[in-house]
Amino acid sequence: MRRLVAVVGLALWLPLVSFAVDFETEVRPILAKSCFGCHSATLASAGLRLDSRAEALRAITPGKSDGSKLIQRIIGAGSEKRMPLGNKPLSDDQIATLRKWVDEGAPWPADMSAKKHWAYVKPTRPALPSVHNGTWARNPLDRFILVHLEKEGLHPSVEASKETLIRRASIDLIGLPPTLKEIDGFIADARPDAYERVVDRLLASPHFGERWARPWLDLARYADTNGLEKDRRRSIWKYRDWVIGALNKDMPFDQFTIEQIAGDMLPNPTNDQLIATGFNRNTMFNEEGGVDKDEAFWENLVDRVGTTSTVWLGSTIGCAQCHNHKFDPFSQKEFYQMMAFFNNGEKLVEDYGDTSQKYLEPQLDLPTSEQELERSKLQAEIKRIEQGIKTADLSREQVQWERSIQAARASWKTLIPVSASAKNGAVLTVNKDGSILASGPNANAETYVIEAKLTVPGITGFRLEALPDASLPRGGPGRDVYGNFFIKSFQVEGMRIRDAVSDDGPVRFAKPADQLWGVDASRDDARLPRQLVFLSREPFDVLDDRSVRIEIRQESEFGGQSLGRFRLSFTTDSDPAAVAAISAKLRPLLEKPQRTAAESKQLADYYRGRATSLKADRDHLKDLRKEVEELGIASTLILRERTSFERPSTELRIRGQFLSKGETVFAAVPAVFNPLPESELPNRLGLARWMVNKDNPLSARVAVNRIWEQYFGHGLVDTSEDFGTQGERPSHPELLDWLAVEFMDKGWSMKAIHRLIATSATYRQASQTTPELLDKDPYNRLLAHGPRFRMEGEMIRDVALASSGLLSLKMFGPSVFPPQPEGVWDMPYSDDKWTPSQGEDKYRRALYTFIRRTSPYPSMLTFDGTSRESCTVRRIRTDTPLQALTTLNDPAFFEAAQALARRVVAEAGPDQRARAIDAFRLTTGRVPKASEIDRLLSGLEKERGYFEAHPTEAKRVGIDANMAAWTMLANALLNLDETITKE
């Protein structure tokens, strides 16, 4: 009786036990996430700071939560607005924590500012925790999981079945389902280390690198196009192949890091080490007309700082571009000091388009030995012809050419309008010289109508001159704010125009919807008279007294881009285009009696590219260059450091604005971290080595956390992109540090960490859960059962192809174009077309699918894939009806269903039951229950009956009713939740 009283007494006492709230692990994260943004040293709204105890006591009454202003404001008591203002209110648990903390006297570290956030403290190997059920642990990491479970009064789940284990491990390690032979072999293997043998086989598979390259390519923002407006193609697939190869070789993570950040700076770098630097060439590239090359390059540097700090440090240093970081110890100056590391690379200036220049960073050609031999021959011939063109004496020809242009100019007569009007409000005034000046309203679309009297036989062409004028914006010649104009169409009543040529070269005179001609006023020759010549199909006679009507239609997507001042003229010359045989920029040189040496050379070089006597050589040169291009030599984008003895530097930008230059800063790492070792130079190579220095508190933690996340659906730090004060604290901090130290001590072997996780008892648990666990730990952060979550989009496609037997295991090479819906690539700035790949390339792994940033592959985007426009650390899984519609109806998935139907009919023999079992095993990896087989066969018979009654539909789905029925069954199996889930 006395023992019973004692037990009851203990039970009554336990609820009264009250543990003190820990400021660092419980209170500070709440304040940092919800309060510091407005109430800290950076910004003290209403004069209140909550990052300093002395200041915070203005709103806190220690020991009295009900009387504390802080508590009143966060619960919304009184008439004042609830805090945090403009953000989500604190949860009941968070409010309870703060209340308890205040009631306990609001204890605060003596010097909170001196205490580093946990992530900025170098990890040390913690002692293995003591646990009650030590026999459950298969390796050290299990003890860290178990101690938390035991603390919560929970127990691990039983080990998963062999079918589940081999499918789970295969999906996680190589991204492909096991074959039926592999499943059966594992089930029959009674050796105690049978599972470890499976893991070792998968780690040695060449497909390991393909599976684990996918998350790394998200980090590296790898894509096959430049992104932004035109989104042109780029060649950088060699970088993707390098990542796959490096992972397969188990390249140590420190070397993996150094080669990507600074492989070009290693002694005598190999091609592979140069290819690796493509990591920082994966930035988007702005090719929009009129873009400032320096600002565009600066944007790339901004991206490189943000990406590098996210990938290796799990830190939001990029937030300090405009100001000191609001939450983490990174100053704006430190952001630009990091940028300086990347600001010393080689780059060349190149003209492109009509108006712009761009910086070209290095490209590495990678020919085969045969390609190199053939290219050498072709380049030798190219060099010989170029030299011949360069040294040819064309002085006499050039004199005649100049005279012909002058003569052609004299043949043109100015058209004097009888009337000039505009349809949408502009006012056209005819000047004495025949030119026409527009004023008044400037509509988004405008059409000018010019009428003139002509009694001239044999007109062969009309000319439109765009003229600058001081009354126009920026001097014209157009009417928009920059002086631009764009012409949609030009028509002369009664004249059939066969072609058009401008002083920039031929103009495509085709469909009315095409933009015909325009001038971008940012060009240095935009303020010069420009001309466009229209050539008649046959001589145009105006012999009566009627007026000739000319319509100039102007329209662009930007609006208001009409001609400001222009002039019309006509000619009867047999070669109307001759007048436009020289560029507007060089035309004034023809009038100069005395030219400087530079002007003479400029004009001579221009003529050399047009001389009739050299046309055969120029054509031959063009053909040779085309032959070089058709060799198909692979190339890839790389970084290459500029030779310099100066410390890399850059200018700080005030408020993060490119045009607001501040002080010059030099390359350095943030002070909160370990300093750059004295043995390292402050350059990119020094930065790379610093990243993987064992004193760096974050690189190893961040890397192992991302690996853990792939296996269990959540990282030990859930916010794997942010280890700072705004990120989540680790669910198992000691385990995170143990793994980080283990990673470094094992020589940074990534495969060693994979093996450690994949062979752990934690990973091998069954994934079934209970109502109690769902209520207590809905996201399985305590890991009381095995992982169970939907696969990523690339895996779902690969699993469907593998199950059906269609999958091609071909590795490496250029990106491929599997079928996708029509019209996905219809874009206004590009006529590039998606041409589906043929043969086995149609069925390659999703990793090799061409990624266009402005139009990613639709089915993978549906399953939360990324456009690769920026570094993506973790994909957020969603559930939408569109995902089910994709696996049911997408042509690629339906083709896989047809192939799966053919496969089971051919391989499983005539027995319907055996076929159904094989189909189920191929998609889910397990043998179906008897009740499940009955449902499958019942559904099959129902489908067969339908297609027998509808033979036309049967032929659309399969060759007959039987194959159509099996196809629909396969289609359903590929859409099962169990099929697209790791379990």
Side-chain angles (χ1 to χ4, degrees):
M1 183 69 182
R2 209 178 306 167
R3 290 183 59 194
L4 178 60
V5 171
V7 170
V8 172
L10 179 62
L12 292 171
W13 175 79
L14 278 174
L16 300 177
V17 173
S18 178
F19 299 98
V21 176
D22 181 72
F23 178 86
E24 196 60 36
T25 61
E26 297 179 79
V27 176
R28 180 170 178 167
I30 298 174
L31 298 178
K33 194 170 188 69
S34 301
C35 307
F36 286 177
C38 298
H39 301 286
S40 66
T42 305
L43 176 63
S45 294
L48 175 64
R49 287 179 54 183
L50 294 175
D51 60 340
S52 162
R53 189 172 195 272
E55 297 287 335
L57 288 177
R58 293 176 54 205
I60 297 172
T61 304
K64 298 180 180 180
S65 61
D66 288 338
S68 292
K69 186 84 168 177
L70 173 69
I71 302 301
Q72 292 172 0
R73 294 303 300 275
I74 64 174
I75 65 174
S79 60
E80 295 183 274
K81 293 183 178 179
R82 187 173 183 177
M83 292 292 174
L85 195 64
N87 289 316
K88 185 179 178 182
L90 270 60
S91 68
D92 291 343
D93 287 344
Q94 289 174 318
I95 293 171
T97 297
L98 292 180
R99 273 187 178 278
K100 187 178 180 184
W101 170 66
V102 173
D103 286 335
E104 290 172 351
W108 202 298
D111 185 3
M112 191 173 84
S113 62
K115 187 174 178 62
K116 280 189 177 181
H117 179 62
W118 67 267
Y120 307 135
V121 179
K122 176 184 173 181
T124 56
R125 186 186 291 272
L128 296 182
S130 297
V131 294
H132 296 297
N133 184 20
T135 57
W136 176 77
R138 289 181 175 273
N139 64 41
L141 75 81
D142 292 322
R143 298 175 73 91
F144 292 99
I145 299 298
L146 187 57
V147 74
H148 279 260
L149 292 177
E150 291 179 345
K151 183 180 177 181
E152 297 291 333
L154 300 173
H155 301 282
S157 297
V158 298
E159 184 165 292
S161 68
K162 278 195 162 185
E163 287 175 314
T164 297
L165 282 178
I166 190 170
R167 187 172 193 268
R168 182 189 292 172
S170 295
I171 293 294
D172 274 335
L173 288 169
I174 65 171
L176 297 172
T179 65
L180 299 187
K181 181 179 179 181
E182 288 168 344
I183 295 172
D184 292 338
F186 177 51
I187 292 172
D189 191 345
R191 290 173 293 185
D193 64 343
Y195 175 71
E196 285 77 4
R197 290 171 180 265
V198 168
V199 171
D200 289 338
R201 171 178 61 80
L202 294 170
L203 285 169
S205 167
H207 304 302
F208 170 84
E210 292 179 314
R211 183 266 179 267
W212 285 92
R214 202 289 303 152
W216 188 263
L217 295 177
D218 269 6
L219 296 171
R221 64 267 192 250
Y222 168 85
D224 296 293
T225 62
N226 290 332
L228 300 170
E229 183 196 53
K230 294 179 176 62
D231 199 20
R232 291 192 176 106
R233 299 192 190 197
R234 62 170 54 166
S235 177
I236 196 172
W237 55 266
K238 279 285 187 178
Y239 169 76
R240 177 187 59 207
D241 289 358
W242 178 87
V243 173
I244 296 169
L247 294 172
N248 277 336
K249 290 184 295 187
D250 195 22
M251 179 183 286
F253 186 74
D254 56 348
Q255 182 183 348
F256 186 69
T257 296
I258 291 167
E259 292 195 6
Q260 290 186 83
I261 296 177
D264 59 304
M265 299 179 72
L266 294 171
N268 303 311
T270 64
N271 278 345
D272 276 353
Q273 288 169 334
L274 293 173
I275 292 169
T277 65
F279 175 88
N280 271 312
R281 290 300 311 280
N282 280 316
T283 47
M284 293 201 293
F285 184 69
N286 193 344
E287 296 178 282
E288 186 177 354
V291 69
D292 181 271
K293 66 181 186 303
D294 293 295
E295 185 172 11
F297 182 71
W298 180 77
E299 293 287 356
N300 286 348
L301 297 182
V302 169
D303 175 77
R304 288 169 188 173
V305 175
T307 297
T308 302
S309 59
T310 297
V311 171
W312 278 279
L313 302 175
S315 298
T316 56
I317 294 176
C319 292
Q321 175 187 341
C322 305
H323 48 70
N324 293 343
H325 202 295
K326 286 189 175 184
F327 307 107
D328 292 320
F330 307 122
S331 69
Q332 185 187 23
K333 182 176 181 179
E334 287 174 327
F335 173 87
Y336 288 97
Q337 287 174 327
M338 285 286 285
M339 179 183 284
F341 284 111
F342 300 96
N343 196 34
N344 199 43
E346 286 185 3
K347 60 183 186 292
L348 299 172
V349 177
E350 181 186 76
D351 292 320
Y352 75 106
D354 289 336
T355 63
S356 303
Q357 290 182 322
K358 62 181 175 181
Y359 282 124
L360 283 183
E361 294 182 273
Q363 173 179 299
L364 178 67
D365 288 339
L366 298 161
T368 64
S369 54
E370 294 82 4
Q371 288 173 329
E372 182 59 45
L373 181 63
E374 184 62 24
R375 183 173 69 170
S376 297
K377 293 178 182 177
L378 292 170
Q379 286 180 333
E381 181 66 5
I382 288 171
K383 187 175 181 180
R384 184 189 67 79
I385 295 173
E386 285 178 336
Q387 185 63 22
I389 291 175
K390 184 178 180 180
T391 57
D393 183 4
L394 303 176
S395 53
R396 291 186 178 181
E397 288 183 43
Q398 182 177 334
V399 169
Q400 294 177 351
W401 171 73
E402 292 183 24
R403 288 173 178 170
S404 69
I405 295 176
Q406 299 284 28
R409 290 176 62 185
S411 73
W412 287 85
K413 307 294 183 185
T414 299
L415 186 72
I416 305 299
V418 172
S419 68
S421 62
K423 291 185 176 181
N424 293 319
V427 177
L428 301 184
T429 303
V430 180
N431 297 323
K432 292 181 179 180
D433 62 355
S435 67
I436 300 168
L437 181 65
S439 60
N442 186 21
N444 285 335
E446 183 62 275
T447 299
Y448 295 162
V449 180
I450 312 300
E451 293 193 1
K453 295 285 188 179
L454 279 180
T455 54
V456 181
I459 296 175
T460 55
F462 277 85
R463 178 175 62 173
L464 171 63
E465 294 177 271
L467 305 172
D469 192 277
S471 67
L472 298 171
R474 301 195 183 186
R479 296 195 69 196
D480 83 348
V481 293
Y482 301 105
N484 302 331
F485 72 84
F486 283 92
I487 294 177
K488 189 88 169 176
S489 66
F490 182 93
Q491 294 178 330
V492 179
E493 186 180 16
M495 173 181 168
R496 295 196 303 162
I497 300 173
R498 65 176 172 86
D499 208 350
V501 61
S502 76
D503 44 22
D504 281 325
V507 172
R508 186 173 67 171
F509 187 81
K511 304 173 185 176
D514 291 338
Q515 198 64 256
L516 179 61
W517 189 45
V519 166
D520 188 323
S522 65
R523 286 180 52 145
D524 57 0
D525 59 353
R527 305 293 181 259
L528 297 170
R530 305 290 302 282
Q531 57 184 339
L532 179 64
V533 177
F534 298 93
L535 314 179
S536 179
R537 287 185 178 276
E538 59 277 320
F540 176 54
D541 294 332
V542 185
L543 299 179
D544 53 19
D545 197 34
R546 64 185 174 86
S547 296
V548 174
R549 179 184 174 93
I550 298 173
E551 285 196 3
I552 306 170
R553 182 182 167 205
Q554 298 143 113
E555 184 180 331
S556 80
E557 61 179 313
F558 305 107
Q561 295 188 319
S562 300
L563 275 165
R565 183 180 170 217
F566 62 99
R567 181 167 52 213
L568 295 166
S569 53
F570 61 92
T571 187
T572 57
D573 192 86
S574 60
D575 184 14
V579 73
I582 190 169
S583 71
K585 189 175 181 179
L586 293 179
R587 192 184 307 135
L589 296 183
L590 296 180
E591 307 291 338
K592 292 188 72 171
Q594 298 292 327
R595 300 169 189 155
T596 66
E599 290 171 339
S600 295
K601 183 179 185 304
Q602 193 177 13
L603 196 58
D605 289 344
Y606 182 85
Y607 175 68
R608 202 172 293 278
R610 289 154 180 75
T612 305
S613 61
L614 297 178
K615 185 177 184 306
D617 285 340
R618 291 196 303 272
D619 290 346
H620 188 199
L621 200 57
K622 184 178 178 181
D623 291 340
L624 290 171
R625 287 171 177 157
K626 185 177 180 181
E627 286 185 54
V628 172
E629 185 178 333
E630 290 174 348
L631 288 174
I633 295 172
S635 66
T636 194
L637 308 180
I638 64 169
L639 285 182
R640 189 173 276 128
E641 191 77 348
R642 178 171 56 89
T643 302
S644 172
F645 296 101
E646 298 177 356
R647 184 168 185 161
S649 64
T650 191
E651 291 92 2
L652 184 145
R653 309 289 170 149
I654 300 167
R655 296 183 299 281
Q657 297 295 316
F658 171 72
L659 295 176
S660 300
K661 290 186 179 182
E663 64 175 305
T664 297
V665 299
F666 297 91
V669 299
V672 72
F673 298 124
N674 55 304
L676 200 69
E678 292 184 4
S679 59
E680 298 295 347
L681 293 173
N683 55 26
R684 240 185 324 116
L685 183 56
L687 175 69
R689 289 173 172 157
W690 172 83
M691 286 286 185
V692 285
N693 187 299
K694 290 189 176 183
D695 287 333
N696 189 307
L698 278 170
S699 292
R701 281 180 174 136
V702 169
V704 296
N705 187 68
R706 280 198 302 261
I707 293 174
W708 186 274
E709 181 182 65
Q710 291 293 316
Y711 283 98
F712 295 102
H714 293 272
L716 294 168
V717 175
D718 195 30
T719 52
S720 49
E721 72 283 357
D722 184 5
F723 277 50
T725 59
Q726 294 297 288
E728 298 291 336
R729 290 186 64 83
S731 59
H732 299 73
E734 296 84 4
L735 174 56
L736 179 63
D737 282 4
W738 188 90
L739 285 171
V741 176
E742 179 75 1
F743 187 33
M744 293 186 283
D745 288 352
K746 287 293 175 65
W748 298 91
S749 168
M750 289 183 273
K751 284 191 177 182
I753 294 297
H754 284 288
R755 192 180 194 281
L756 187 71
I757 294 173
T759 58
S760 67
T762 304
Y763 179 73
R764 291 166 71 161
Q765 296 176 93
S767 62
Q768 287 83 1
T769 188
T770 64
E772 177 195 7
L773 269 180
L774 283 175
D775 181 60
K776 192 167 190 175
D777 185 22
Y779 297 108
N780 196 29
R781 299 304 307 280
L782 294 172
L783 296 166
H785 62 80
R788 187 183 192 280
F789 52 90
R790 196 202 65 219
M791 294 182 286
E792 59 198 34
E794 290 87 344
M795 279 188 190
I796 291 171
R797 171 183 165 81
D798 290 350
V799 166
L801 291 175
S803 300
S804 69
L806 289 175
L807 182 68
S808 165
L809 295 178
K810 175 182 174 183
M811 294 181 66
F812 306 124
S815 297
V816 296
F817 301 82
Q820 73 171 2
E822 288 290 332
V824 174
W825 265 27
D826 289 348
M827 287 169 285
Y829 295 106
S830 173
D831 57 2
D832 199 2
K833 299 298 180 186
W834 180 282
T835 304
S837 298
Q838 301 300 312
E840 69 173 322
D841 280 352
K842 185 179 179 182
Y843 307 111
R844 297 279 301 279
R845 291 193 68 167
L847 177 77
Y848 299 106
T849 299
F850 190 95
I851 297 177
R852 184 172 204 135
R853 283 177 158 130
T854 55
S855 182
Y857 194 68
S859 67
M860 285 186 275
L861 204 60
T862 300
F863 284 100
D864 309 313
T866 172
S867 65
R868 299 272 174 81
E869 292 175 279
S870 59
C871 171
T872 303
V873 178
R874 57 181 174 134
R875 297 183 182 181
I876 306 301
R877 287 183 297 276
T878 63
D879 290 306
T880 69
L882 190 58
Q883 293 165 352
L885 292 172
T886 297
T887 52
L888 281 171
N889 301 320
D890 185 280
F893 282 91
F894 199 78
E895 185 179 3
Q898 291 172 315
L900 176 59
R902 292 193 299 269
R903 180 179 183 181
V904 296
V905 167
E907 295 179 3
D911 184 72
Q912 303 281 30
R913 196 174 188 83
R915 288 177 178 177
I917 292 172
D918 268 14
F920 193 88
R921 292 186 73 201
L922 284 167
T923 51
T924 69
R926 68 173 176 87
V927 175
K929 300 172 185 176
S931 60
E932 290 171 327
I933 298 173
D934 291 342
R935 290 177 66 186
L936 292 175
L937 293 176
S938 173
L940 178 70
E941 289 307 312
K942 184 178 179 181
E943 292 290 351
R944 185 183 285 115
Y946 175 84
F947 284 117
E948 285 174 349
H950 300 83
T952 303
E953 290 187 37
K955 287 183 179 180
R956 291 175 58 194
V957 175
I959 57 175
D960 53 30
N962 183 55
M963 286 306 301
W966 276 107
T967 295
M968 297 310 295
L969 180 64
N971 184 235
L973 289 173
L974 288 173
N975 191 55
L976 287 178
D977 180 67
E978 195 170 348
T979 302
I980 65 173
T981 302
K982 287 206 300 182
E983 291 300 282

